[in-house]
Amino acid sequence: MADVVNVDGAVPASGEGRLIRALDWKGAFWVAAGVPPLVLFSIGGIAGTTGKLAFVVWIISMVMGFLQSFTYAEIAGMFGNKSGGASVYGATAWLRYSKFIAPLSVWCNWFAWSPVLSLGCAIAAGYILNAFFPIPAADAQQVVAWIAAHAGSITADSPRVAEWLAAHAGSTPSDAISALLSADGVAALTPAIRTWSLTSFGIPFLATANINATFFIGAILMLVIFAIQHRGIAQTASVQKWLAIIVLVPLLLIGLYPIFSGQIQWANVTGLVPPSAAYSAVEGSWSNGGWTLFLGGLYIAAWSTYGFETAVCYTRELRNPKTDTFKAIFYSGLACCLFFFLIPFTFQGVLGHEGMLATGVVDGTGVAEVLGGLISAGPVITQILVALMILALFLAIMTAMAGSSRTLYQGSKDGWLPKYLEHVNEKGAPTRAMWTDFTFNLVLLAIASDTGGYFFVLAVSNVGYIIFNFLNLNSGWIHRIDSGHIARPWKAPTWLIGLNTVLAFVNALFLGAGAKVWGYENALWIGFAFAALILPVFAYRHYVRDGGKFPAGAMDDLGLVGQDLGVRKAGMLPYLALAGGLAIVLIANWAFQLPA
């Protein structure tokens, strides 16, 4: 049953066993404040893939995300009694045309957002390990001493020297001995916990899982975040507010300092061409391979830059959803524009392309040191920045758990996902959905414990995110046609709804061309397969558990009574949109190829 709404549009907080209206738009803004730190998840990977074009990729992607958010703001205002975000609100537009497309939208949004937990915890675990169990640098004093003590352990006639020389043409035996001794010294002095693994095993057709120190530390961090969110959305928003202030203000100041201090090297941000190959410091050209790398950067950037749409996940928990929904997503978008424009530009302007390819930037664990370098910080300040980076990751992870768990919750309430997910504790927290997130991410955390697995998870999860965006950007015009009679507290200009429909197909281009760029040729097909898992899940819930009927109240916001899904006023247009999007994905996947 829908809640009783006051004259001013607010809904009173009430009751055990359901979400509680405890937020204003500022609270939703703070919960979504974990999105700006997502730039640090893939800033190195995008720089490696797109070279000097990296900061342009971020700007283009952020502009697209901001424009697209206006469609989401309109449809979110139509559903004051639903949680779960744009995927839920947009999914209802597709119900008339296929019962199976609606749950696909919700599912794809969830498996795109949920991995932020595992990826963020993997990076945070890396920071903790680096702080307490650092791997020594090759020029560290203890490594130099070890080399001196073992200088005679490798001779010029050693098979290892011959093997090294075969791989490094033009080098001398002394070069080989020096390099091998240095590697041996680093390995010998690396703390055992950095190489320890309880077990590792292959997951068929996916990747290798590794139960190591990163896994256990990451799991503990996830439990801490779970404990915070167990106390409800108001408590979560309060914690997020202070985390955001502590993290984002210093990040903003550090991003601005190099611009005003004259550290930007303009040669690093001009002469914009893609690299000759992924992770190559050599400039390439606008060939088919160059365009593929560029589109691959736009593909993965979307996972971060579009993410502030999570601000409308909490509509059901806003005191006054009619006015607060638009404010929450609009101001979240402005904040993201600032950070996604500024941080990539500053990093690239100071470090250059080669500096962006450093291992610590690519895997995310050395970003704090880079931030310290931007302001010429000493060791103490750098360690403070390490702590701030861990807090930034907490901020992002809390945003992801809050949003993704509510997507599961509302999907269950509306009859698309398993019924057990609709449980809510006495604080209004969807705890079973949160436990599902936690369990799913334990598996992903095992995969993401190394750099290769990290980008595998990112590339595959983003397949779901682009599918979700495609479906929901199209839902804007479908709602206009089929549900034009529904009140919209905020209505986007018609031309913007049209533009965002075009951007839906641009995203399909990114998906087809870009998914293969991240080291996994089959990422697109694995993502499609994972998306399809919702079909048997929904079929069981709807046809077996619910007898082919949706739960009472599932369609109240649309003004639909009982199981009548209404007239399909859009006719064949939604089906043509689906066919067109799929065609673009398949053609782009065939036409765009990585550099040889």
Side-chain angles (χ1 to χ4, degrees), residues 393-453:
L393 293 165
F394 262 66
L395 191 64
I397 296 163
M398 287 182 64
T399 293
M401 179 176 279
S404 61
S405 62
R406 280 155 179 82
T407 300
L408 290 178
Y409 163 82
Q410 191 64 51
S412 177
K413 290 283 289 183
D414 287 343
W416 300 331
L417 299 178
K419 189 172 179 61
Y420 84 95
L421 293 169
E422 68 180 63
H423 172 79
V424 174
N425 72 1
E426 69 281 359
K427 299 290 186 180
T431 47
R432 289 181 184 170
M434 290 161 59
W435 278 118
T436 301
D437 260 349
F438 176 80
T439 304
F440 175 64
N441 275 277
L442 281 181
V443 178
L444 296 185
L445 185 60
I447 296 174
S449 293
D450 63 79
T451 302

Side-chain angles (χ1 to χ4, degrees), residues 216-280:
F216 284 106
I217 295 173
I220 292 170
L221 295 178
M222 277 199 286
L223 284 172
V224 171
I225 292 166
F226 183 98
I228 293 171
Q229 298 208 3
H230 190 272
R231 302 178 65 183
I233 194 65
Q235 180 69 28
T236 299
S238 177
V239 173
Q240 286 282 92
K241 175 182 178 180
W242 292 110
L243 279 178
I245 292 171
I246 292 170
V247 168
L248 297 182
V249 171
L251 186 61
L252 176 61
L253 295 176
I254 292 171
L256 290 170
Y257 178 78
I259 297 175
F260 291 103
S261 63
Q263 295 182 54
I264 301 296
Q265 301 295 316
W266 294 105
N268 294 336
V269 291
T270 54
L272 304 179
V273 292
S276 59
Y279 298 97
S280 169

Side-chain angles (χ1 to χ4, degrees), residues 137-315:
D139 58 352
Q141 184 60 44
Q142 64 267 39
V143 175
V144 173
W146 188 97
I147 292 172
H150 297 80
S153 61
I154 301 177
T155 60
D157 58 355
S158 167
R160 292 181 65 200
V161 171
E163 182 180 350
W164 192 92
L165 289 173
H168 299 80
S171 300
T172 65
S174 61
D175 293 333
I177 292 172
S178 176
L180 291 170
L181 280 172
S182 178
D184 289 350
V186 171
L189 297 172
T190 295
I193 194 172
R194 301 302 298 269
T195 56
W196 172 82
S197 175
L198 179 64
T199 185
S200 64
F201 53 91
I203 301 177
F205 309 110
L206 295 180
T208 299
N210 197 356
I211 310 300
N212 55 13
T214 298
F215 173 85
F216 284 106
I217 295 173
I220 292 170
L221 295 178
M222 277 199 286
L223 284 172
V224 171
I225 292 166
F226 183 98
I228 293 171
Q229 298 208 3
H230 190 272
R231 302 178 65 183
I233 194 65
Q235 180 69 28
T236 299
S238 177
V239 173
Q240 286 282 92
K241 175 182 178 180
W242 292 110
L243 279 178
I245 292 171
I246 292 170
V247 168
L248 297 182
V249 171
L251 186 61
L252 176 61
L253 295 176
I254 292 171
L256 290 170
Y257 178 78
I259 297 175
F260 291 103
S261 63
Q263 295 182 54
I264 301 296
Q265 301 295 316
W266 294 105
N268 294 336
V269 291
T270 54
L272 304 179
V273 292
S276 59
Y279 298 97
S280 169
V282 179
E283 292 185 1
S285 64
W286 286 104
S287 60
N288 181 284
W291 274 104
T292 302
L293 293 175
F294 178 64
L295 294 173
L298 286 165
Y299 165 73
I300 215 69
W303 186 81
S304 300
T305 56
Y306 300 177
F308 69 93
E309 47 84 13
T310 191
V312 296
C313 273
Y314 318 101
T315 302

Side-chain angles (χ1 to χ4, degrees), residues 339-353:
F339 284 93
F340 284 109
F341 288 0
L342 178 65
I343 300 303
F345 175 79
T346 300
F347 267 54
Q348 185 173 325
V350 174
L351 298 179
H353 185 204

Side-chain angles (χ1 to χ4, degrees), residues 34-44 46 58 251 304 339-340 343-344:
V35 175
L38 292 180
V39 67
L40 305 173
F41 279 46
S42 50
I43 191 170
I46 289 178
W58 285 108
L251 186 61
S304 300
F339 284 93
F340 284 109
I343 300 303

Side-chain angles (χ1 to χ4, degrees), residues 5-11 21 23-29 72-74 76-81 311-312 314-332 487-491:
V5 184
N6 291 338
V7 174
D8 61 358
V11 181
R21 293 198 181 275
L23 290 182
D24 58 11
W25 73 266
K26 296 175 184 176
F29 170 88
Y72 300 153
E74 176 178 313
M78 298 168 60
F79 299 94
N81 291 315
V312 296
Y314 318 101
T315 302
R316 177 61 183 79
E317 294 161 280
L318 292 172
R319 296 192 188 100
N320 195 343
K322 288 187 176 181
T323 59
D324 288 346
T325 300
F326 173 75
K327 291 180 181 179
I329 194 169
F330 179 74
Y331 288 111
S332 295
R488 288 160 168 78
W490 184 85
K491 191 173 184 178

